[in-house]
Amino acid sequence: MDAQSLINEFELPFQLYDVLNTEQLCQHPKFAEHSRDTFDATIDTAKKIATDLFLPHNTVADKNEPQFDGKKVTMLNDVKVAFDAYRHSGFIAGRYDFDQGGMQLPETVMTAVAGYFMAANPSTTAYPFLTTAAINVLMHFANDEVKQAFVPRMLSGDFTGTMALTEPHAGSSLADIRTTATPHDDGTYRIRGSKIYISGGDHELAENIVHLVLAKVPGGPAGVKGISLFAVPKYRLDANGKPAERNDVHLAGLIHKLGYRGTTSTALSFGDANDCVGYLIGEVHFGLRYMFKMMNEARIAVGFGAAMIGYRGYQYSLAYAKDRLQGRVAPHLKPDDPAAAIIEHGDVKRMLLAQKAYSEGGMALCLYGSNLIDRINTCDDDTQKQALSELLDLLTPVLKAWPSEYGPKANDLGIQVLGGAGYTREYQAEQFWRDNRLNPIHEGTNGIQALDLTFRKLWQNQGLGLQVLQQEIARDLIAISTSQTAKLANKLQIYIEQLQPLLQHVGQTLSTPKAATLSANAQALMTVFATIVMSWIWIRQASKAEQLLALTEDGAKQNFYRGKIQAAKYFIDWELPLIQRDIELLTTDNAVCHSMQPEWF
């Protein structure tokens, strides 16, 4: 697959500059030294590195997983070469200020950069991405001593980072973790416990690995209120800040996964010799709050990654459908008529259009979320800043869950487009699906995201996030000036009008015994809410595409814009009406799932 097919040449310029007006950020002092030219140069660098160094070993790494010989982990040297190119390019520190060694780039641009790496090779990309997430937590919550010890070396990629939350017995139930952190005379802690499914938990790509570990200090409150957060390096540092003796944290084994095989997934053991040194981050017992900072940012990244893997599969099956000759299409049905490319067949068009709607929609959604971060960071009005922050908080479960639900569906359709070939290892379509299938699970399963939306995010701060979302949608719909998009907006309006009474009903249910029923129906509410949001996201794209279509005579661009409009029509006509079932289930407090008894299965 050639470089251009990773991402359509018109896609990111359309999203960044036409839909999101990212160039306007350069008017703010924070980004005043940048321009569209510097943004484009950064993205072009990402495209080149991703294409030249990440893409070629994606399938090779899938077939040659990391190995552990009991002493150290080994993997393809190509992974190290790619990782080094990524860190030397400055991308790990890209979003940080100049005085921190960063490039001071907007979040929207860094997300676009991430698009090329996620499309090319999600497994190798995981190592720097995890590091960036860990840096964010340390930057926000660690004291100066801990920051100085680890952050500069992580920004350069000399050290990498992980998050170590999950334990074998507890899974997503963090209240039940058993890892302990005992205070030591020198102000450090001694960590003891086991963690599992820790991505990037051991490797030889960097000089050190800094684990962010959730643990409980003895004598603290029960449950999540007693959780603290610690920085636990693989190697302790000497007086000069260099990695020295091995800390008492060890790899218990590698976990072999369905997909994402190039990323080490590890079981880690802390404190087997009672000498695992950890450094408290922030205050005791506030660890879960700090970790959620990392998790919320990681959730947006997971959603975007799912969209990009879905997009890669879409581009792959699209190329196949254009080349694969099979059957004939009316009126050319005679045996001596030439065979048609399968892209001419109606059902293949349907599957490709669904893939396009899911993957490009997810991409646009996550870029909107990233742009929200930039709007927050450049907002000088505290009231407006709070409002935008509430909107981002409300949308975070959707940013994670919708693309990671529909990205794998796009990849599933990609396999179907290839037919029997898609079911073989000779083609990459099956790997895209395997890689993407992780995304509905990690960083909080999609079921957890639905519960978060249903019971928390819609109502927090007196529903301010929802109010801001309604204002954003209304403003966009009122501004529509093109005929085709106006028809789509009218269709969406019907469901928007149903959403308000539905949410009123759900809100009233929360304080009644029917809340238990609602917990089983939370996915239905996520589907309704997220589909309405996604319909709006597609209408935003269609509106801009329809405007630009009237202004260009470039045939390639005309096709691109028409494709956007058609994908929006597909989503509004084919996907949006499906939520009517979920609206009815929620309105009637359907208890079929809740009332099912374990012994009946």
Side-chain angles (χ1 to χ4, degrees):
M1 182 169 290
D2 61 29
Q4 185 172 316
S5 61
L6 278 177
I7 303 178
N8 182 290
E9 63 177 315
F10 301 124
E11 186 68 43
L12 289 178
F14 174 74
Q15 298 289 355
L16 293 180
Y17 306 121
D18 297 325
V19 178
L20 295 172
N21 197 17
T22 304
E23 194 173 357
Q24 189 177 30
L25 291 170
C26 299
Q27 298 175 15
H28 191 275
K30 182 176 178 65
F31 304 117
E33 294 191 35
H34 287 295
S35 65
R36 177 168 177 168
D37 288 341
T38 63
F39 294 164
D40 287 344
T42 302
I43 294 169
D44 285 344
T45 299
K47 176 181 178 180
K48 180 170 177 54
I49 295 174
T51 302
D52 292 349
L53 298 177
F54 280 69
L55 180 62
H57 72 270
N58 184 24
T59 300
V60 181
D62 179 70
K63 296 175 180 177
N64 297 273
E65 299 178 64
Q67 300 295 317
F68 178 49
D69 62 5
K71 295 182 180 180
K72 72 174 187 176
V73 173
T74 57
M75 63 180 72
L76 291 174
N77 186 59
D78 291 346
V79 179
K80 170 72 171 167
V81 172
F83 174 78
D84 284 346
Y86 187 100
R87 71 187 188 92
H88 289 316
S89 71
F91 287 136
I92 292 178
R95 56 180 49 80
Y96 291 99
D97 292 348
F98 294 126
D99 60 9
Q100 295 169 323
M103 292 189 279
Q104 206 160 309
L105 286 163
E107 192 69 28
T108 315
V109 174
M110 289 306 300
T111 300
V113 163
Y116 274 105
F117 292 104
M118 289 302 303
N121 190 326
S123 291
T124 296
T125 300
Y127 297 105
F129 275 30
L130 288 163
T131 303
T132 298
I135 291 168
N136 290 343
V137 175
L138 294 173
M139 292 284 273
H140 280 89
F141 304 114
N143 62 35
D144 288 342
E145 184 178 1
V146 173
K147 284 182 188 176
Q148 290 167 7
F150 299 117
V151 169
R153 304 296 297 280
M154 295 172 75
L155 285 169
S156 66
D158 294 323
F159 295 178
T160 60
T162 76
M163 64 169 91
L165 291 72
T166 307
E167 298 185 6
H169 67 283
S172 298
S173 181
L174 296 178
D176 298 322
I177 65 171
R178 296 172 184 162
T179 299
T180 59
T182 305
H184 201 260
D185 293 341
D186 62 1
T188 64
Y189 288 75
R190 294 299 178 268
I191 312 298
R192 185 172 178 83
S194 299
K195 299 289 183 178
I196 197 170
Y197 302 134
I198 310 306
S199 297
D202 207 344
H203 53 75
E204 301 295 321
L205 298 175
E207 298 174 16
N208 207 351
I209 303 173
V210 182
H211 305 286
L212 300 192
V213 180
L214 289 181
K216 293 184 177 181
V217 177
V224 296
K225 294 182 178 180
I227 295 176
S228 300
L229 183 62
F230 300 86
V232 182
K234 178 179 178 180
Y235 295 98
R236 302 179 195 178
L237 305 183
D238 63 19
N240 297 314
K242 302 287 187 180
E245 62 182 316
R246 180 71 183 256
N247 203 3
D248 187 14
V249 50
H250 298 282
L251 176 61
L254 293 178
I255 297 161
H256 301 286
K257 309 182 298 295
L258 175 72
Y260 256 89
R261 293 178 177 175
T263 308
T264 55
S265 182
T266 62
L268 297 178
S269 181
F270 297 86
D272 288 349
N274 296 315
D275 195 27
C276 181
V277 177
Y279 304 89
L280 179 67
I281 297 173
E283 299 180 43
V284 177
H285 309 320
F286 282 79
L288 198 59
R289 180 186 300 179
Y290 303 150
M291 187 60 87
F292 270 119
K293 170 72 177 176
M294 183 180 191
M295 290 178 68
N296 283 338
E297 291 167 348
R299 283 169 178 168
I300 298 174
V302 167
F304 187 65
M308 293 313 304
I309 299 172
Y311 183 83
R312 175 80 192 285
Y314 158 57
Q315 291 289 317
Y316 190 89
S317 63
L318 175 62
Y320 181 90
K322 289 178 177 179
D323 290 340
R324 171 65 170 168
L325 302 179
Q326 184 174 308
R328 290 160 182 80
V329 178
H332 307 290
L333 300 176
K334 297 178 180 178
D336 55 350
D337 284 334
I342 63 171
I343 197 170
E344 298 290 345
H345 294 287
D347 197 52
V348 174
K349 289 182 181 180
R350 175 190 65 82
M351 292 188 286
L352 290 170
L353 196 48
Q355 290 182 72
K356 182 179 177 69
Y358 298 160
S359 59
E360 291 181 12
M363 192 191 314
L365 172 70
C366 294
L367 284 166
Y368 173 83
S370 298
N371 191 251
L372 263 183
I373 296 174
D374 287 326
R375 289 168 63 186
I376 293 166
N377 290 339
T378 56
C379 183
D380 299 321
D381 184 314
D382 289 343
T383 301
Q384 180 66 10
K385 192 169 192 172
Q386 176 64 28
L388 292 172
S389 296
E390 288 293 335
L391 174 58
L392 179 62
D393 217 24
L394 169 66
L395 289 179
T396 295
V398 178
L399 288 162
K400 191 276 179 182
W402 194 90
S404 65
E405 186 79 16
Y406 284 87
K409 288 184 178 179
N411 293 130
D412 184 78
L413 287 168
I415 293 173
Q416 192 71 17
V417 167
L418 268 70
Y423 198 65
T424 70
R425 296 182 189 176
E426 308 306 316
Y427 292 83
Q428 287 182 270
E430 57 87 28
Q431 184 194 339
F432 301 143
W433 180 85
R434 285 190 290 105
D435 285 343
N436 219 347
R437 190 58 187 84
L438 173 64
N439 287 315
I441 299 171
H442 67 156
E443 309 308 336
T445 65
N446 284 1
I448 289 174
Q449 304 308 314
L451 291 171
D452 185 35
L453 177 73
T454 301
F455 289 92
R456 292 183 61 246
K457 294 299 175 62
L458 283 165
W459 324 107
Q460 68 184 24
N461 203 354
Q462 299 179 322
L464 177 58
L466 181 62
Q467 295 171 36
V468 179
L469 175 64
Q470 291 169 330
Q471 292 167 5
E472 293 253 319
I473 294 175
R475 182 169 59 245
D476 284 342
L477 297 188
I478 290 171
I480 291 172
S481 59
T482 49
S483 60
Q484 295 185 76
T485 311
K487 292 177 182 178
L488 298 179
N490 290 337
K491 293 180 179 180
L492 174 59
Q493 191 62 45
I494 295 170
Y495 294 93
I496 291 175
E497 290 170 1
Q498 294 185 67
L499 181 62
Q500 192 59 39
L502 173 63
L503 292 179
Q504 289 176 351
H505 174 79
V506 170
Q508 293 167 357
T509 300
L510 294 176
S511 58
T512 72
K514 289 183 179 179
T517 298
L518 184 59
S519 68
N521 295 349
Q523 186 59 53
L525 185 57
M526 170 63 85
T527 299
V528 172
F529 185 76
T531 305
I532 288 174
V533 168
M534 285 306 308
S535 298
W536 163 58
I537 290 292
W538 264 114
I539 284 173
R540 283 167 57 87
Q541 294 183 79
S543 178
K544 183 57 66 173
E546 196 171 357
Q547 293 172 39
L548 294 171
L549 179 61
L551 300 176
T552 184
E553 296 181 359
D554 183 317
K557 285 188 176 181
Q558 287 178 338
N559 287 334
F560 175 81
Y561 297 140
R562 289 188 179 111
K564 286 293 182 186
I565 297 167
Q566 199 72 4
K569 289 179 178 179
Y570 168 84
F571 198 86
I572 299 297
D573 288 351
W574 284 66
E575 300 289 336
L576 178 59
L578 299 178
I579 68 172
Q580 196 63 55
R581 179 207 67 176
D582 297 286
I583 292 173
E584 183 177 344
L585 289 172
L586 291 160
T587 303
T588 59
D589 300 311
N590 187 284
V592 168
C593 294
H594 172 66
S595 61
M596 180 65 179
Q597 300 302 305
E599 57 270 22
W600 297 351
F601 281 100

